[in-house]
Amino acid sequence: DVTVVATGAIYITDTGIRFDDVGNVLHPGPDRVFRIGPDRKVTVAARGDSLGWPNGITVDPVGKRFIIVSVGAAKTVLAWKPGDRAPRVIAKGPGGFDGVEVAGTRILVSSWPDSTVSAYETGQAVKVITGVPSPADIGYDAKRNRVLIPIFTGNRVEVWQLQ
C-alpha cells in the first residue's frame, strides 16, 4: 500500500512475501516500510518482524501517526511513527488485512477471512460492511462518506455508503 504525508514524502509497505511457481506464499522477508522523500531519496523507514507482513498503510491525522495493517498471521492493527523502535499494537481482529483508511475517529480495515470492512475506534472491531469477498485495499470518500472496495477476485469495485 502507499500513503502520502503533507511534506510530500511517500510511504510504501513491503510484506516481504513472494509466490513460488505454483502459487504458494513464501515469506523470506524482510518486512519493511519504505520512505521516498520529496527529493526522491529512498530509505527504509521501518523494518522487522514486528510489522507482521505489513500490507495497508495510511496517515492518521488525529493521532499524528501511521496506521499499518498486517496480512500475515499477526492479525494486528498497528500504530507507528517514524523514529519508533517498533510499531505498537492498537487492535486485533480476524487478520488477512488489506486496506486501511481513517474516517474521522474510525479506522476502517478490510479483511479477507471474514469478507468485511470493520471500524476500530476503541481497539475492538465493529463490522460496518459485510459480505464483500476478497476485499482488497480500500478507499474512503470523506465528502460523501463512502467506502470504495476493490473486489479482488471479482474484478470490480463496490461503493458503500456509511451511516
Side-chain angles (χ1 to χ4, degrees), residues 31-33 46-54 68-70 76 78 87:
D31 294 333
R32 297 176 286 204
V33 175
R47 177 187 180 127
D49 293 339
S50 62
L51 292 168
W53 301 27
I68 301 171
V69 295
S70 57
T76 54
L78 305 168

Side-chain angles (χ1 to χ4, degrees), residues 140-161:
Y140 177 65
D141 174 354
K143 182 177 179 182
R144 295 171 190 84
N145 199 30
R146 294 179 179 165
V147 177
L148 294 83
I149 309 168
I151 306 301
F152 186 80
T153 58
N155 196 28
R156 68 180 187 276
V157 174
E158 295 184 2
V159 179
W160 289 73
Q161 184 70 47

